[in-house]
């Protein structure tokens, strides 16, 4: 009788051969808790130890393997107190390579004079001989033996867990649980892309015979991850669009001409292209779900106004939602300018309305007496009921992600069309992951006549003369932002830094000028007041921590100093600089730095070189990783385990195309070959994307 409990991939990894409680704790640092977690803990990359070189033929900086006999063993203490282990191996001709270890004394136990070993590492020529830092060591039984593992998987590691131990555990896991892994990918897709099926893919990913075999196996997991995400997004698109009803709102040539006459400028080609895409969506009876992406100042608002007016001309109501009161007010002012000659009945729904005023407004909206409502997302989405809402424009500015998107309260008369605007350029591949459920329009081109901002990275020596120059410009009527960074750990510190900067400037370089101080400790009303004073030119300069509202328009502010610029990410710097690139006068942006790291230097060099937000966003993602680019906030979509939308972009595009085709062909994933895939999609994204349980 077999009484052994049934094995499962969700078994705790602790009971796997060679693991035990202590190692299980270490594995938990890597988020490995179950056997399944361990099997899917994939290598970061592969080392090829098969490039075996004669000691006379080494190339600096490239991973190579040498073999020889230990002829010197030495450990010494450096003047810094650091201890160094040096092990010299020599070949038959007496040529030597020195292996060097810093502080890892347990390594010394492996070695003794005369032992035959292979060292694998990247050699460096030091004074008169080759050295390898922390080479991988293989003990050879006989002279001339091939090293046993030619290709070695290199894993994301945690302290105190030797790489070889981890490999042994993975081996044990594969041997006793390998046959339990179920392949969620349909055969057809695997063979079309030449990807290995499970469990072979796991075997190849962990223990490949060649680097390319390992990489192909890894591609399979990346593809699978992208496919699952893209299917989830396709299902969500279906739910938001194909399964819903929205009013048809066509625009004809006459309407088009009437709207265009309202703008004091000719729309750019990119604006026209976005408008054409929007109009095509609005005349369908499925709700538009479109993202309008544009660099700061590229002219999104004009496009939004066009769309709002198409809705109103079609006798539907429209709403424009901004993230803050200041921005809602600003949009309102812009609308007022464009609509001066129009009879559109419009209303600004602000938090400062009295209860009575608000009640009256809500009644009018419900009765259809108001065509166009502007407000913050909170105000508009809470309890407002529209008579016949046709379009919602959501200005998200710098916020990201599907899950956070404000949703207007469900309306009785069917769904409105949605247009989401963001001022943060995101590379297409990243947009396909975080905004993958939306159709995307991009405005890249800036309106004509825009002057590029001049950006200079200055040294402390140049500070006094720069202040003098700024002072003169402010005396001639221009305005400046002085940006101080947030101190991460402590709001009070960042406040103090900004307050000190403010005190120093008013007592010194900017004495006699009107300088405001804006920081995170102020409440919203005070922040609004300061921004308003600045906009109305009652202040010459604004010392601010990064609470300057993204999107706030002060065209006369063309000067900016960014303190400790190394603390900001590229996207953030770009957003800041966007504040001073809105007028006819060329902006000037000055950077001061404390002690930038190598990475920060690279970032700042890129920043001074280009003003293209899309280029900067891509560089930012490359330098800091996707998670950082998207902000620390949990958005649920960018946290991929295997794939990197930038590095693996062609796999992402492939997976997206496959997902769209698959969902078109089997919209509820009911085919038996899609059963596991469906389960996986729902487990991973069902909640984040509010997907209905399909089937
Ligand atoms: P965004 O919302 O993308 O930051 P806005 O719509 O606020 O940009 O436009 C920024 C500025 O450019 C505004 O002052 C606007 O009047 C102007 N603008 C927009 N489109 C054009 C255009 N096609 N030609 C000239 N100026 C334009
Ligand atoms: Mg704007």
């Amino acid at each position: 009788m077999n009484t052994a409990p049934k094995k499962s991939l969700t078994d705790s990894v602790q009971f796997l051969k060679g693991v035990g409680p202590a190692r299980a704790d270490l594995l938990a640092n890597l988020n490995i808790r179950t056997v399944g977690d361990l099997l899917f803990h994939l290598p970061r990359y592969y080392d090829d130890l098969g490039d075996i070189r004669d000691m006379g033929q080494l190339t600096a900086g490239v991973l190579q393997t040498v073999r020889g006999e230990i002829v010197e063993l030495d450990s010494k203490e450096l003047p810094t107190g650091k201890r160094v282990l040096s092990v010299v191996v020599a070949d038959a001709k007496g040529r030597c390579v020195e292996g060097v270890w810093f502080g890892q004394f347990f390594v010394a136990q492996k070695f003794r004079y005369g032992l035959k070993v292979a060292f694998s590492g990247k050699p460096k020529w030091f004074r008169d001989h080759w050295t390898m830092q922390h080479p991988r060591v293989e003990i050879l039984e006989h002279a001339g033996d091939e090293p046993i593992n030619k290709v070695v998987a290199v894993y994301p590691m945690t302290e105190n867990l030797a790489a070889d131990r981890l490999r042994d555990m993975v081996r044990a896991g594969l041997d006793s649980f390998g046959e339990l892994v179920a392949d969620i990918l349909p055969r057809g897709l695997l063979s079309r892309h030449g990807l290995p099926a499970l469990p072979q893919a796991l075997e190849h990913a962990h223990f490949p015979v060649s680097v390319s075999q390992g990489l192909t196996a890894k591609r399979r997991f990346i593809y699978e991850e992208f496919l699952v995400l893209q299917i989830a997004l396709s299902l969500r698109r279906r739910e938001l669009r194909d399964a819903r009803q929205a009013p048809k709102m066509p625009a004809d040539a006459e309407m088009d001409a009437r709207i265009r006459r309202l703008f004091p400028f000719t729309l750019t080609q990119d604006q026209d292209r976005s408008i054409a895409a929007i109009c095509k969506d609005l005349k369908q009876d499925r709700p538009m779900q479109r993202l309008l992406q544009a660099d700061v100042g590229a002219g999104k608002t004009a496009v939004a106004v066009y769309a709002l007016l198409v809705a109103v001309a079609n006798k539907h109501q429209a709403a424009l939602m901004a993230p803050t009161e200041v921005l809602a007010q600003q949009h309102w002012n812009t609308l007022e300018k464009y609509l001066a000659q129009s009879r559109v009945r419009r209303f600004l729904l602000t938090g400062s309305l009295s209860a009575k005023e608000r009640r009256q407004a809500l009644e009018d909206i419900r009765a259809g007496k108001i065509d166009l409502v502007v407000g913050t997302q909170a105000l508009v989405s809470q309890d407002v009921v529209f008579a016949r809402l046709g379009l919602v424009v959501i200005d998200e500015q710098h916020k990201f992600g599907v899950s956070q998107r404000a949703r207007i309260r469900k309306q009785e008369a069917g769904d409105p069309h949605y247009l989401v605007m963001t001022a943060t350029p995101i590379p297409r591949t990243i947009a396909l992951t975080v905004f993958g459920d939306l159709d995307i329009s991009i405005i890249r081109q800036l309106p004509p006549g825009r002057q590029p901002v001049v950006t200079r990275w200055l040294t402390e020596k140049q500070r006094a003369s720069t202040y003098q120059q700024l002072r003169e410009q402010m005396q001639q009527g221009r305005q400046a932002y002085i940006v101080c960074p947030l101190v991460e750990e402590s709001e009070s510190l960042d406040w103090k830094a900004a307050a000190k900067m403010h005190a120093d400037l008013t007592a010194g370089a900017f004495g006699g000028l009107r300088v405001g101080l804006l920081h995170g400790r102020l409440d919203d009303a005070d922040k609004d007041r300061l921004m308003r004073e600045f906009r109305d030119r009652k202040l010459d300069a604004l010392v601010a921590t990064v609470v300057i509202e993204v999107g706030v328009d002060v065209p006369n502010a063309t000067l900016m100093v960014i303190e400790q610029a190394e603390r900001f990410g590229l996207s953030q710097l770009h957003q800041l600089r966007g504040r001073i690139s809105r007028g006819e006068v060329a902006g000037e942006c000055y950077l001061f730095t404390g002690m930038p790291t190598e990475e920060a230097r690279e970032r700042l060099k890129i920043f001074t070189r280009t003003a293209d937000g899309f280029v900067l966003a891509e560089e930012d993602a490359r330098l800091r990783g996707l998670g950082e680019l998207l902000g620390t906030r949990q958005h649920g979509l960018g946290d991929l385990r295997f794939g990197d939308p930038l590095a693996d972009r062609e796999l992402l595009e492939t997976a997206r195309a496959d997902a769209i085709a698959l969902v078109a062909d089997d919209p509820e994933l009911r085919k038996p070959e899609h059963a596991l895939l469906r389960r996986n999609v729902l487990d991973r994204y069902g909640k984040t994307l509010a997907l209905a349980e399909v089937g």
Side-chain angles (χ1 to χ4, degrees), residues 300-301 330-331 395 397 551 553 582:
K300 288 181 302 297
T301 314
Q330 184 173 299
H331 279 315
D395 186 3
Q397 296 295 340
D553 249 331
R582 314 189 67 86

Side-chain angles (χ1 to χ4, degrees), residues 265-268 271 295-302 338 447-448 450 582:
F265 42 71
T266 313
L267 296 171
T268 63
Q271 284 172 320
D295 217 333
V296 246
K300 288 181 302 297
T301 314
Y338 292 144
R450 210 52 77 73
R582 314 189 67 86

Side-chain angles (χ1 to χ4, degrees), residues 55 67-72 88-97:
M55 286 188 194
R67 289 171 301 193
E69 199 176 302
I70 295 181
V71 294
E72 260 183 68
V88 178
V89 294
D91 66 8
K93 292 184 186 149
R95 288 174 301 209
C96 296
V97 171

Side-chain angles (χ1 to χ4, degrees), residues 502-656:
H502 179 258
D504 289 352
L505 285 173
T506 43
F510 294 174
L513 293 170
R514 299 161 302 172
V515 185
L517 172 61
L518 179 70
H519 56 78
R521 276 199 174 178
L522 299 175
D523 58 28
D524 287 350
D526 285 336
K527 282 187 208 162
D528 282 7
R529 183 180 46 77
L530 269 165
M531 276 319 296
R532 234 174 294 121
E533 285 175 12
F534 188 60
R535 192 185 54 207
D536 299 342
R537 302 204 189 181
K538 291 185 181 134
L539 295 172
D540 300 304
L542 199 55
V543 174
T545 52
V546 209
V547 287
I548 308 176
E549 294 288 356
V550 170
V552 168
D553 249 331
V554 185
N556 190 55
T558 53
L559 308 167
M560 180 173 282
V561 175
I562 304 179
E563 294 293 337
Q564 300 187 40
E566 76 274 15
R567 300 238 195 144
F568 296 103
L570 272 176
S571 302
Q572 225 176 353
L573 287 169
H574 180 64
Q575 289 295 331
L576 285 170
R577 186 168 57 184
R579 303 296 96 234
I580 54 163
S581 55
R582 314 189 67 86
E584 307 275 282
V585 181
E588 295 166 34
C589 180
Y590 300 105
L591 313 176
F592 288 106
T593 50
M595 302 242 290
T597 58
E598 202 41 53
E599 193 216 287
R601 306 187 75 86
E602 191 183 342
R603 198 183 322 137
L604 294 174
K605 272 189 223 148
I606 294 165
F607 183 64
T608 51
R609 225 171 24 229
T610 178
D612 184 325
F614 288 89
V615 173
L616 290 171
E618 194 149 325
E619 289 292 337
D620 201 20
R622 189 177 63 75
L623 289 170
R624 299 198 302 163
L626 185 55
E628 283 292 317
L629 173 70
L630 298 175
T632 42
R633 187 103 65 89
Q634 186 64 33
H635 44 78
L637 291 180
D639 44 356
L640 297 168
R641 210 170 143 197
F642 305 127
D644 171 346
L646 283 175
D648 310 311
R649 69 178 70 196
E650 86 325 326
L651 264 187
L652 174 63
E653 298 277 1
T654 307
R656 180 173 173 84

Side-chain angles (χ1 to χ4, degrees), residues 12-29:
S12 165
V13 73
Q14 179 181 340
F15 304 108
L16 198 62
K17 199 177 113 208
V19 182
R23 285 199 183 128
D25 282 347
L26 293 174
L27 289 174
N29 295 335

Side-chain angles (χ1 to χ4, degrees), residues 187-395:
R187 298 260 143 194
L189 287 179
L190 288 174
S191 61
R192 184 175 338 143
H193 301 305
L195 295 170
L198 281 176
Q200 192 191 45
L202 281 174
E203 184 67 36
H204 287 179
H206 290 291
F207 300 100
V209 298
S210 65
V211 172
S212 75
Q213 188 185 60
L215 292 178
T216 304
K218 271 189 75 175
R219 278 173 65 82
R220 183 224 130 92
F221 295 100
I222 296 168
Y223 171 79
E224 177 179 318
E225 185 172 49
F226 286 156
L227 185 74
V228 166
L229 171 60
Q230 291 300 329
I231 288 176
L233 291 168
S234 292
L235 291 175
R236 163 126 169 151
R237 281 158 66 92
R238 236 183 79 76
E239 273 175 30
L240 290 181
R241 208 170 37 188
D242 306 349
R244 296 186 193 213
Q245 197 72 31
K248 288 186 181 180
M249 306 193 297
D252 57 22
E254 199 243 303
M255 193 189 293
D256 176 77
R258 218 162 4 107
I259 297 175
R260 278 172 198 270
R261 270 203 297 276
L262 299 175
F263 300 119
F265 42 71
T266 313
L267 296 171
T268 63
Q269 262 180 3
D270 281 3
Q271 284 172 320
D272 274 337
R273 204 172 311 125
S274 305
I275 286 173
I278 289 167
C279 287
K280 204 168 154 213
D281 289 347
L282 292 180
K283 67 181 183 202
Q284 313 288 327
D285 61 355
R286 303 284 172 224
M288 166 168 76
Q289 302 286 342
R290 184 168 290 276
L291 174 73
L292 179 60
Q293 243 196 307
D295 217 333
V296 246
K300 288 181 302 297
T301 314
V303 173
V305 167
Y306 188 107
L308 293 166
L309 293 178
V310 169
V312 173
N314 274 277
K315 307 257 177 295
H316 281 278
Q317 289 166 298
L320 173 56
M321 296 162 47
T324 66
E325 289 264 329
V326 188
L327 289 170
Q329 177 75 51
Q330 184 173 299
H331 279 315
W332 176 257
N333 297 345
T334 307
L335 275 170
E336 283 301 285
K337 259 191 283 165
Y338 292 144
L339 300 184
Q341 309 300 325
S342 109
R343 279 168 322 195
V344 173
R345 296 168 301 175
R346 50 203 184 264
F347 195 82
L348 173 64
L349 204 58
T350 69
S352 56
L353 293 179
S354 71
K356 186 163 161 249
E357 288 168 324
R358 181 172 170 85
R359 205 171 331 111
Q360 182 61 49
L362 296 192
E363 243 167 63
D364 290 350
I365 294 169
R366 187 197 278 269
K369 290 186 194 154
I370 291 174
D371 303 313
L372 181 51
V373 180
V374 179
T376 64
Q377 300 185 2
L379 276 176
V380 180
S381 52
Q382 265 165 16
D383 54 354
V384 187
V385 178
F386 290 83
R388 35 172 212 293
L389 183 61
L391 171 68
V392 177
V393 176
I394 304 171
D395 186 3

